[in-house]
Amino acid sequence: MNLKDKHNDVEQISTMKRRKLNLIEYAKNGVSAVNSTFYRFPLTILLFVALAIITIYRIEMPYEQLKYVDEILNRITAVIALGVPFTL
């Protein structure tokens, strides 16, 4: 290896370290933003999580079971969806 190759290797390592630091900073900023959003709108986020869980449950439930609880799930979904604007 000559001096130029060693210099290029050092530059590549320093670039990789900077990228890693940038990724860590982006992750910290992302977690901070999610945290502040959750503290600002906790009930809204919980309602959306509940809606997502109910929707996934309805999609994955076999039809034979769904016909017995479909009306109840429709009403629960509607109440939660209508409650979201009141939490803002």
Side-chain angles (χ1 to χ4, degrees):
M1 263 186 163
N2 61 22
L3 187 61
K4 188 175 181 181
D5 290 337
K6 287 182 182 180
H7 181 69
N8 286 339
D9 289 343
V10 170
E11 283 183 5
Q12 287 177 348
I13 291 171
S14 66
T15 303
M16 288 177 10
K17 286 182 181 179
R18 279 185 278 161
R19 285 182 183 165
K20 184 177 179 182
L21 289 176
N22 283 342
L23 288 176
I24 291 171
E25 289 298 318
Y26 286 138
K28 285 180 182 178
N29 289 341
V31 169
S32 175
V34 169
N35 194 19
S36 65
T37 302
F38 185 76
Y39 280 121
R40 188 171 178 190
F41 304 108
L43 188 57
T44 306
I45 293 173
L46 291 176
L47 287 175
F48 276 120
V49 168
L51 278 172
I53 290 170
I54 291 173
T55 303
I56 292 170
Y57 180 71
R58 291 182 71 179
I59 291 170
E60 295 297 324
M61 183 185 294
Y63 177 74
E64 293 79 27
Q65 293 176 353
L66 183 63
K67 59 184 172 183
Y68 297 114
V69 294
D70 191 39
E71 187 65 30
I72 295 170
L73 290 177
N74 281 341
R75 290 174 189 231
I76 291 172
T77 303
V79 168
I80 292 174
L82 290 173
V84 168
F86 292 111
T87 63
L88 297 176

Coordinates of all heavy atoms in Angstrom, one line a residue:
M1 N 0.8 -1.2 0.0 CA 0.0 0.0 0.0 C 0.9 1.2 0.0 O 1.8 1.4 0.8 CB -0.8 0.0 1.3 CG -2.2 -0.5 1.1 SD -3.0 -0.2 2.7 CE -4.6 -0.3 2.2
N2 N 0.5 2.1 -0.8 CA 1.3 3.4 -0.8 C 0.6 4.4 0.0 O -0.5 4.2 0.6 CB 1.5 3.9 -2.3 CG 0.2 4.2 -3.0 OD1 -0.8 4.4 -2.4 ND2 0.3 4.2 -4.3
L3 N 1.1 5.6 0.2 CA 0.6 6.6 1.0 C -0.8 7.1 0.6 O -1.6 7.4 1.4 CB 1.6 7.8 1.1 CG 1.3 8.9 2.1 CD1 1.3 8.3 3.5 CD2 2.3 10.0 1.9
K4 N -1.0 7.1 -0.7 CA -2.3 7.6 -1.2 C -3.4 6.6 -0.8 O -4.5 7.1 -0.4 CB -2.2 7.8 -2.7 CG -3.4 8.4 -3.3 CD -3.2 8.6 -4.8 CE -4.5 9.3 -5.4 NZ -4.4 9.5 -6.8
D5 N -3.1 5.3 -0.9 CA -4.1 4.3 -0.5 C -4.5 4.4 0.9 O -5.6 4.3 1.3 CB -3.6 2.9 -0.9 CG -3.6 2.7 -2.4 OD1 -4.3 3.4 -3.1 OD2 -2.8 1.8 -2.8
K6 N -3.4 4.6 1.8 CA -3.7 4.8 3.2 C -4.5 6.0 3.5 O -5.4 6.0 4.3 CB -2.3 4.8 3.9 CG -1.6 3.5 4.0 CD -0.3 3.7 4.8 CE 0.4 2.3 4.8 NZ 1.7 2.4 5.6
H7 N -4.2 7.1 2.8 CA -5.0 8.3 3.0 C -6.5 8.1 2.6 O -7.4 8.5 3.3 CB -4.4 9.4 2.2 CG -5.1 10.7 2.3 ND1 -5.1 11.5 3.5 CD2 -5.9 11.5 1.5 CE1 -5.8 12.6 3.4 NE2 -6.3 12.6 2.1
N8 N -6.7 7.4 1.5 CA -8.1 7.1 1.1 C -8.8 6.2 2.1 O -10.0 6.4 2.4 CB -8.1 6.4 -0.3 CG -7.8 7.4 -1.4 OD1 -7.9 8.6 -1.3 ND2 -7.3 6.8 -2.6
D9 N -8.1 5.2 2.7 CA -8.7 4.4 3.7 C -9.1 5.2 4.9 O -10.1 5.0 5.5 CB -7.7 3.3 4.1 CG -7.5 2.2 3.0 OD1 -8.4 2.2 2.1 OD2 -6.6 1.4 3.1
V10 N -8.2 6.1 5.3 CA -8.5 7.0 6.5 C -9.7 7.8 6.2 O -10.6 8.0 7.0 CB -7.2 7.8 6.9 CG1 -7.6 8.8 7.9 CG2 -6.1 6.9 7.3
E11 N -9.8 8.4 5.0 CA -10.9 9.2 4.6 C -12.2 8.4 4.6 O -13.3 8.9 5.1 CB -10.7 9.8 3.2 CG -9.8 11.0 3.2 CD -9.7 11.6 1.8 OE1 -10.4 11.2 0.9 OE2 -8.9 12.5 1.7
Q12 N -12.2 7.1 4.1 CA -13.3 6.3 4.1 C -13.8 6.0 5.5 O -15.0 6.0 5.8 CB -13.1 5.0 3.3 CG -13.0 5.2 1.9 CD -12.7 3.9 1.1 OE1 -12.3 2.9 1.7 NE2 -12.8 3.9 -0.2
I13 N -12.8 5.7 6.4 CA -13.2 5.4 7.8 C -13.8 6.6 8.5 O -14.8 6.5 9.2 CB -11.9 4.9 8.6 CG1 -11.5 3.5 8.1 CG2 -12.2 4.8 10.1 CD1 -10.2 3.0 8.6
S14 N -13.2 7.8 8.3 CA -13.8 9.0 8.9 C -15.2 9.3 8.3 O -16.0 9.8 9.0 CB -12.8 10.2 8.7 OG -12.7 10.5 7.4
T15 N -15.4 9.0 7.0 CA -16.7 9.2 6.4 C -17.7 8.3 7.0 O -18.8 8.7 7.3 CB -16.6 9.0 4.9 OG1 -15.6 9.9 4.4 CG2 -18.0 9.3 4.2
M16 N -17.3 7.0 7.2 CA -18.2 6.1 7.8 C -18.5 6.5 9.3 O -19.7 6.3 9.7 CB -17.6 4.7 7.8 CG -17.5 4.1 6.4 SD -16.8 2.5 6.1 CE -16.4 1.8 7.7
K17 N -17.6 7.0 10.0 CA -17.8 7.4 11.4 C -18.8 8.6 11.4 O -19.7 8.7 12.2 CB -16.5 7.8 12.1 CG -15.7 6.6 12.5 CD -14.4 7.1 13.2 CE -13.6 5.9 13.6 NZ -12.3 6.3 14.3
R18 N -18.6 9.5 10.5 CA -19.5 10.7 10.4 C -20.9 10.2 10.0 O -21.9 10.7 10.6 CB -19.0 11.7 9.4 CG -18.0 12.6 9.9 CD -17.6 13.7 9.0 NE -16.6 13.0 8.1 CZ -16.3 13.4 6.9 NH1 -16.8 14.4 6.4 NH2 -15.4 12.7 6.1
R19 N -21.1 9.3 9.1 CA -22.4 8.8 8.7 C -23.0 8.1 9.9 O -24.2 8.2 10.1 CB -22.3 7.8 7.5 CG -22.0 8.5 6.2 CD -22.0 7.5 5.1 NE -21.7 8.2 3.9 CZ -21.3 7.5 2.8 NH1 -21.2 6.2 2.8 NH2 -21.0 8.2 1.7
K20 N -22.2 7.3 10.7 CA -22.8 6.6 11.8 C -23.3 7.6 12.9 O -24.3 7.5 13.4 CB -21.7 5.7 12.4 CG -22.2 4.9 13.6 CD -21.1 4.0 14.1 CE -21.7 3.2 15.3 NZ -20.6 2.3 15.8
L21 N -22.5 8.7 13.1 CA -22.9 9.7 14.0 C -24.2 10.4 13.5 O -25.0 10.8 14.3 CB -21.8 10.8 14.2 CG -20.6 10.3 15.0 CD1 -19.5 11.3 15.0 CD2 -21.0 9.9 16.4
N22 N -24.2 10.7 12.2 CA -25.5 11.3 11.6 C -26.7 10.4 11.8 O -27.7 10.9 12.2 CB -25.3 11.6 10.1 CG -24.4 12.8 9.9 OD1 -24.2 13.6 10.8 ND2 -23.9 12.9 8.7
L23 N -26.5 9.1 11.6 CA -27.6 8.2 11.9 C -28.0 8.2 13.3 O -29.2 8.1 13.6 CB -27.2 6.8 11.4 CG -27.2 6.5 9.9 CD1 -26.7 5.1 9.6 CD2 -28.5 6.8 9.3
I24 N -27.1 8.2 14.2 CA -27.4 8.2 15.6 C -28.1 9.5 16.0 O -29.1 9.5 16.7 CB -26.1 8.1 16.5 CG1 -25.5 6.7 16.3 CG2 -26.4 8.4 17.9 CD1 -24.2 6.4 16.9
E25 N -27.7 10.6 15.4 CA -28.4 11.9 15.7 C -29.8 11.9 15.1 O -30.7 12.4 15.7 CB -27.6 13.1 15.1 CG -26.3 13.4 15.8 CD -26.5 13.8 17.2 OE1 -27.5 14.6 17.5 OE2 -25.8 13.3 18.1
Y26 N -30.0 11.4 13.9 CA -31.3 11.2 13.3 C -32.2 10.4 14.2 O -33.4 10.7 14.4 CB -31.3 10.7 11.9 CG -30.7 11.6 10.9 CD1 -29.9 11.2 9.9 CD2 -31.1 12.9 10.8 CE1 -29.4 12.0 8.9 CE2 -30.7 13.8 9.9 CZ -29.8 13.3 8.9 OH -29.3 14.2 8.0
A27 N -31.7 9.3 14.7 CA -32.4 8.4 15.6 C -32.8 9.1 16.9 O -34.0 9.0 17.3 CB -31.7 7.1 15.9
K28 N -31.9 9.9 17.5 CA -32.2 10.6 18.7 C -33.2 11.7 18.4 O -34.1 11.9 19.2 CB -30.9 11.3 19.2 CG -29.9 10.3 19.9 CD -28.7 11.0 20.4 CE -27.7 10.1 21.0 NZ -26.5 10.8 21.5
N29 N -33.1 12.4 17.3 CA -34.1 13.4 17.0 C -35.5 12.8 16.7 O -36.5 13.3 17.2 CB -33.7 14.2 15.8 CG -32.5 15.1 16.0 OD1 -32.2 15.4 17.2 ND2 -31.8 15.5 15.0
G30 N -35.5 11.6 16.1 CA -36.8 10.9 15.8 C -37.4 10.5 17.1 O -38.6 10.7 17.3
V31 N -36.7 9.9 18.0 CA -37.2 9.5 19.3 C -37.7 10.7 20.1 O -38.8 10.6 20.7 CB -36.1 8.6 20.1 CG1 -36.6 8.4 21.5 CG2 -35.9 7.3 19.4
S32 N -36.9 11.7 20.1 CA -37.3 13.0 20.8 C -38.6 13.5 20.2 O -39.5 13.9 21.0 CB -36.2 14.0 20.7 OG -36.6 15.2 21.3
A33 N -38.8 13.5 18.9 CA -40.0 14.0 18.3 C -41.2 13.1 18.6 O -42.3 13.6 19.0 CB -39.8 14.1 16.8
V34 N -41.0 11.8 18.6 CA -42.1 10.9 19.0 C -42.5 11.1 20.4 O -43.7 11.1 20.8 CB -41.7 9.5 18.6 CG1 -42.7 8.5 19.2 CG2 -41.6 9.2 17.2
N35 N -41.5 11.2 21.3 CA -41.7 11.4 22.7 C -42.5 12.7 23.0 O -43.5 12.7 23.7 CB -40.4 11.4 23.4 CG -40.6 11.3 24.9 OD1 -41.6 10.8 25.4 ND2 -39.5 11.6 25.7
S36 N -42.1 13.8 22.4 CA -42.8 15.0 22.6 C -44.2 15.0 22.0 O -45.2 15.5 22.6 CB -42.1 16.2 22.0 OG -42.0 16.1 20.6
T37 N -44.4 14.3 20.9 CA -45.8 14.2 20.3 C -46.6 13.3 21.2 O -47.8 13.6 21.4 CB -45.7 13.5 18.9 OG1 -44.9 14.3 18.1 CG2 -47.0 13.4 18.3
F38 N -46.1 12.3 21.8 CA -46.9 11.4 22.7 C -47.3 12.2 23.9 O -48.4 12.1 24.4 CB -46.1 10.2 23.1 CG -46.9 9.2 23.9 CD1 -47.9 8.4 23.3 CD2 -46.8 9.1 25.2 CE1 -48.7 7.6 24.0 CE2 -47.5 8.3 26.0 CZ -48.5 7.5 25.4
Y39 N -46.4 13.0 24.5 CA -46.7 13.8 25.7 C -47.8 14.9 25.3 O -48.5 15.3 26.2 CB -45.5 14.5 26.3 CG -44.7 13.5 27.1 CD1 -43.4 13.2 26.9 CD2 -45.3 12.9 28.2 CE1 -42.7 12.3 27.6 CE2 -44.6 12.0 29.0 CZ -43.3 11.7 28.7 OH -42.6 10.9 29.5
R40 N -47.8 15.4 24.1 CA -48.7 16.4 23.7 C -50.1 15.8 23.4 O -51.1 16.4 23.7 CB -48.2 17.2 22.5 CG -49.0 18.4 22.2 CD -48.3 19.2 21.1 NE -49.2 20.3 20.8 CZ -48.9 21.1 19.8 NH1 -47.9 21.0 19.1 NH2 -49.7 22.1 19.6
F41 N -50.1 14.7 22.7 CA -51.4 14.1 22.3 C -51.5 12.6 22.8 O -51.6 11.7 21.9 CB -51.6 14.1 20.8 CG -51.5 15.5 20.3 CD1 -50.4 15.9 19.5 CD2 -52.5 16.4 20.4 CE1 -50.3 17.1 19.0 CE2 -52.4 17.7 19.9 CZ -51.3 18.0 19.2
P42 N -51.4 12.3 24.1 CA -51.4 10.9 24.5 C -52.7 10.1 24.1 O -52.6 9.0 23.6 CB -51.1 10.9 26.0 CG -51.6 12.3 26.4 CD -51.4 13.2 25.2
L43 N -53.8 10.7 24.4 CA -55.1 10.0 24.2 C -55.3 9.8 22.7 O -55.8 8.8 22.3 CB -56.2 10.8 24.8 CG -57.6 10.1 24.8 CD1 -57.5 8.8 25.5 CD2 -58.6 11.0 25.5
T44 N -55.0 10.8 21.9 CA -55.2 10.7 20.4 C -54.4 9.5 19.9 O -54.9 8.7 19.1 CB -54.7 12.0 19.7 OG1 -55.5 13.1 20.3 CG2 -55.0 11.9 18.2
I45 N -53.1 9.4 20.3 CA -52.3 8.3 19.8 C -52.8 7.0 20.3 O -52.8 6.0 19.5 CB -50.8 8.6 20.2 CG1 -50.2 9.8 19.5 CG2 -49.9 7.3 20.0 CD1 -48.9 10.2 20.0
L46 N -53.2 6.9 21.5 CA -53.8 5.7 22.0 C -55.1 5.3 21.3 O -55.3 4.1 21.0 CB -54.1 5.8 23.5 CG -52.8 5.9 24.4 CD1 -53.2 6.1 25.9 CD2 -52.0 4.6 24.3
L47 N -55.9 6.2 20.9 CA -57.1 5.9 20.1 C -56.7 5.4 18.7 O -57.4 4.5 18.2 CB -58.0 7.2 20.0 CG -58.7 7.5 21.3 CD1 -59.5 8.8 21.1 CD2 -59.7 6.4 21.8
F48 N -55.7 6.0 18.1 CA -55.3 5.5 16.8 C -54.7 4.1 16.9 O -54.9 3.3 16.0 CB -54.3 6.5 16.1 CG -55.0 7.6 15.4 CD1 -54.7 8.9 15.8 CD2 -55.8 7.4 14.4 CE1 -55.3 10.0 15.1 CE2 -56.4 8.4 13.7 CZ -56.2 9.7 14.0
V49 N -54.0 3.8 18.0 CA -53.5 2.5 18.2 C -54.6 1.5 18.3 O -54.6 0.4 17.8 CB -52.5 2.5 19.4 CG1 -52.1 1.0 19.7 CG2 -51.2 3.2 19.0
A50 N -55.6 1.9 19.1 CA -56.8 1.0 19.3 C -57.5 0.8 18.0 O -57.9 -0.4 17.7 CB -57.7 1.6 20.3
L51 N -57.7 1.8 17.2 CA -58.3 1.7 15.9 C -57.5 0.7 15.0 O -58.1 -0.1 14.3 CB -58.4 3.0 15.1 CG -59.6 3.9 15.5 CD1 -59.5 5.2 14.9 CD2 -60.9 3.2 15.1
A52 N -56.2 0.8 15.0 CA -55.3 0.0 14.2 C -55.5 -1.5 14.7 O -55.6 -2.4 13.8 CB -53.9 0.4 14.3
I53 N -55.5 -1.7 16.0 CA -55.6 -3.1 16.5 C -57.0 -3.7 16.1 O -57.1 -4.8 15.6 CB -55.5 -3.1 18.0 CG1 -54.0 -2.8 18.4 CG2 -55.9 -4.4 18.6 CD1 -53.8 -2.5 19.8
I54 N -58.0 -2.9 16.2 CA -59.4 -3.4 15.8 C -59.4 -3.7 14.4 O -60.0 -4.7 13.9 CB -60.5 -2.4 16.3 CG1 -60.6 -2.4 17.8 CG2 -61.8 -2.8 15.7 CD1 -61.5 -1.3 18.3
T55 N -58.9 -2.8 13.5 CA -58.9 -3.0 12.1 C -58.1 -4.3 11.7 O -58.6 -5.1 10.9 CB -58.3 -1.8 11.4 OG1 -59.0 -0.6 11.8 CG2 -58.4 -2.0 9.9
I56 N -56.9 -4.5 12.3 CA -56.2 -5.7 12.0 C -56.9 -6.9 12.5 O -56.9 -7.9 11.8 CB -54.8 -5.6 12.6 CG1 -54.0 -4.5 11.9 CG2 -54.0 -6.9 12.6 CD1 -52.7 -4.1 12.6
Y57 N -57.5 -6.8 13.6 CA -58.3 -7.9 14.2 C -59.5 -8.3 13.2 O -59.7 -9.5 13.0 CB -58.8 -7.6 15.6 CG -59.7 -8.7 16.2 CD1 -59.1 -9.8 16.7 CD2 -61.0 -8.5 16.4 CE1 -59.8 -10.8 17.3 CE2 -61.8 -9.5 17.0 CZ -61.2 -10.6 17.4 OH -62.0 -11.6 18.0
R58 N -60.1 -7.3 12.7 CA -61.2 -7.6 11.8 C -60.8 -8.2 10.5 O -61.4 -9.0 9.9 CB -62.0 -6.3 11.5 CG -62.8 -5.8 12.7 CD -63.5 -4.5 12.3 NE -64.6 -5.0 11.5 CZ -65.5 -4.1 11.0 NH1 -65.5 -2.9 11.3 NH2 -66.5 -4.6 10.2
I59 N -59.6 -7.8 10.0 CA -59.1 -8.3 8.8 C -58.7 -9.8 8.9 O -58.9 -10.6 8.1 CB -57.9 -7.5 8.3 CG1 -58.4 -6.1 7.8 CG2 -57.1 -8.2 7.1 CD1 -57.3 -5.1 7.5
E60 N -58.1 -10.1 10.1 CA -57.6 -11.4 10.3 C -58.6 -12.4 10.8 O -58.3 -13.6 10.8 CB -56.4 -11.4 11.3 CG -55.2 -10.6 10.7 CD -54.6 -11.3 9.5 OE1 -54.6 -12.5 9.4 OE2 -54.1 -10.5 8.6
M61 N -59.7 -11.9 11.2 CA -60.8 -12.8 11.8 C -61.5 -13.6 10.7 O -61.8 -13.0 9.7 CB -61.8 -12.0 12.6 CG -62.8 -12.9 13.3 SD -64.1 -11.9 14.1 CE -63.2 -11.1 15.3
P62 N -61.7 -14.9 10.9 CA -62.4 -15.7 9.9 C -63.9 -15.2 9.8 O -64.4 -14.7 10.7 CB -62.4 -17.1 10.4 CG -61.3 -17.1 11.4 CD -61.1 -15.7 11.9
Y63 N -64.5 -15.4 8.6 CA -65.8 -14.9 8.4 C -66.8 -15.5 9.3 O -67.8 -14.8 9.8 CB -66.2 -15.2 6.9 CG -67.6 -14.7 6.6 CD1 -67.9 -13.4 6.5 CD2 -68.7 -15.6 6.5 CE1 -69.2 -12.9 6.3 CE2 -70.0 -15.2 6.3 CZ -70.2 -13.9 6.2 OH -71.5 -13.5 6.0
E64 N -66.7 -16.8 9.7 CA -67.6 -17.4 10.5 C -67.7 -16.7 11.9 O -68.8 -16.6 12.5 CB -67.3 -18.9 10.7 CG -67.4 -19.7 9.5 CD -66.2 -19.6 8.5 OE1 -65.1 -19.2 9.0 OE2 -66.4 -19.7 7.3
Q65 N -66.6 -16.3 12.4 CA -66.6 -15.6 13.7 C -66.9 -14.1 13.5 O -67.6 -13.5 14.4 CB -65.2 -15.6 14.3 CG -64.8 -17.0 14.7 CD -63.3 -17.1 15.3 OE1 -62.6 -16.1 15.2 NE2 -62.9 -18.2 15.8
L66 N -66.6 -13.5 12.4 CA -66.9 -12.1 12.2 C -68.4 -11.8 12.1 O -68.8 -10.8 12.6 CB -66.2 -11.7 10.9 CG -66.3 -10.2 10.5 CD1 -65.6 -9.4 11.6 CD2 -65.7 -9.9 9.2
K67 N -69.2 -12.7 11.6 CA -70.6 -12.4 11.4 C -71.3 -12.3 12.8 O -72.3 -11.6 12.9 CB -71.3 -13.4 10.6 CG -71.2 -14.8 11.0 CD -71.9 -15.8 10.0 CE -71.6 -17.2 10.4 NZ -72.2 -18.1 9.4
Y68 N -70.7 -12.8 13.9 CA -71.3 -12.7 15.2 C -70.9 -11.4 15.9 O -71.6 -10.8 16.7 CB -70.9 -13.9 16.1 CG -71.4 -15.2 15.6 CD1 -70.5 -16.1 15.1 CD2 -72.8 -15.4 15.5 CE1 -71.0 -17.3 14.6 CE2 -73.2 -16.6 15.0 CZ -72.4 -17.6 14.5 OH -72.8 -18.8 14.0
V69 N -69.7 -10.9 15.6 CA -69.2 -9.7 16.3 C -69.0 -8.5 15.4 O -68.5 -7.4 15.8 CB -67.8 -10.0 17.0 CG1 -68.0 -11.0 18.1 CG2 -66.8 -10.4 16.0
D70 N -69.5 -8.6 14.2 CA -69.3 -7.5 13.2 C -70.0 -6.2 13.6 O -69.4 -5.1 13.6 CB -69.8 -8.0 11.8 CG -69.4 -7.0 10.7 OD1 -68.2 -6.5 10.8 OD2 -70.2 -6.8 9.8
E71 N -71.2 -6.3 14.1 CA -71.9 -5.1 14.5 C -71.3 -4.5 15.7 O -71.2 -3.2 15.8 CB -73.4 -5.5 14.8 CG -74.3 -4.3 15.1 CD -74.4 -3.4 13.9 OE1 -74.4 -3.9 12.7 OE2 -74.6 -2.2 14.1
I72 N -70.8 -5.2 16.6 CA -70.2 -4.7 17.8 C -68.9 -4.0 17.4 O -68.6 -2.8 17.9 CB -69.9 -5.8 18.9 CG1 -71.2 -6.3 19.4 CG2 -69.0 -5.3 20.0 CD1 -71.1 -7.6 20.2
L73 N -68.1 -4.6 16.6 CA -66.8 -4.0 16.2 C -67.1 -2.7 15.3 O -66.3 -1.8 15.4 CB -66.0 -5.0 15.4 CG -65.4 -6.2 16.2 CD1 -64.6 -7.1 15.3 CD2 -64.4 -5.6 17.2
N74 N -68.1 -2.7 14.5 CA -68.5 -1.5 13.8 C -68.8 -0.4 14.7 O -68.3 0.8 14.5 CB -69.7 -1.8 12.9 CG -69.3 -2.5 11.6 OD1 -68.2 -2.5 11.2 ND2 -70.3 -3.1 11.0
R75 N -69.5 -0.6 15.8 CA -69.9 0.4 16.7 C -68.7 0.9 17.5 O -68.5 2.1 17.7 CB -71.0 -0.1 17.6 CG -72.3 -0.2 16.9 CD -73.3 -0.8 17.8 NE -74.5 -1.2 17.1 CZ -75.7 -0.8 17.4 NH1 -75.9 -0.1 18.5 NH2 -76.8 -1.2 16.6
I76 N -67.8 0.0 17.9 CA -66.6 0.4 18.7 C -65.7 1.2 17.8 O -65.2 2.2 18.2 CB -65.9 -0.9 19.2 CG1 -66.7 -1.5 20.3 CG2 -64.5 -0.5 19.8 CD1 -66.2 -2.9 20.8
T77 N -65.5 0.8 16.6 CA -64.7 1.5 15.6 C -65.3 2.9 15.4 O -64.5 3.9 15.4 CB -64.6 0.8 14.3 OG1 -64.1 -0.5 14.6 CG2 -63.7 1.5 13.3
A78 N -66.6 3.0 15.2 CA -67.2 4.4 15.0 C -67.0 5.3 16.2 O -66.7 6.5 16.1 CB -68.7 4.2 14.7
V79 N -67.2 4.7 17.4 CA -67.1 5.6 18.6 C -65.7 6.1 18.8 O -65.4 7.2 19.1 CB -67.6 4.8 19.8 CG1 -67.2 5.5 21.1 CG2 -69.1 4.5 19.8
I80 N -64.7 5.1 18.6 CA -63.3 5.6 18.7 C -62.9 6.6 17.7 O -62.3 7.6 17.9 CB -62.4 4.3 18.7 CG1 -62.6 3.5 19.9 CG2 -60.9 4.8 18.6 CD1 -61.8 2.2 19.8
A81 N -63.4 6.4 16.4 CA -63.1 7.3 15.3 C -63.7 8.7 15.6 O -63.1 9.7 15.3 CB -63.5 6.7 14.0
L82 N -64.9 8.7 16.1 CA -65.5 10.0 16.4 C -64.9 10.6 17.6 O -65.0 11.9 17.8 CB -67.0 9.8 16.6 CG -67.9 9.4 15.4 CD1 -69.3 9.1 15.8 CD2 -67.8 10.6 14.4
G83 N -64.3 9.9 18.5 CA -63.7 10.4 19.7 C -62.3 11.1 19.4 O -61.9 11.9 20.2
V84 N -61.7 10.7 18.3 CA -60.4 11.3 18.0 C -60.4 12.8 17.8 O -59.5 13.5 18.4 CB -59.8 10.6 16.7 CG1 -58.6 11.4 16.2 CG2 -59.4 9.2 17.0
P85 N -61.3 13.4 17.1 CA -61.3 14.9 17.0 C -61.5 15.6 18.4 O -61.0 16.7 18.6 CB -62.5 15.2 16.1 CG -62.7 14.0 15.3 CD -62.3 12.9 16.2
F86 N -62.2 15.0 19.3 CA -62.4 15.6 20.6 C -61.1 15.6 21.5 O -61.1 16.3 22.5 CB -63.6 14.9 21.3 CG -64.9 15.2 20.7 CD1 -65.5 14.2 20.0 CD2 -65.4 16.4 20.6 CE1 -66.8 14.4 19.4 CE2 -66.6 16.7 20.0 CZ -67.3 15.7 19.4
T87 N -60.2 14.8 21.1 CA -58.9 14.7 21.9 C -57.9 15.7 21.4 O -56.8 15.8 22.1 CB -58.3 13.3 21.9 OG1 -58.0 12.9 20.5 CG2 -59.3 12.3 22.4
L88 N -58.1 16.4 20.3 CA -57.1 17.3 19.8 C -57.3 18.7 20.4 O -58.1 19.1 20.9 CB -57.3 17.4 18.3 CG -57.0 16.1 17.5 CD1 -57.2 16.3 16.0 CD2 -55.6 15.7 17.7

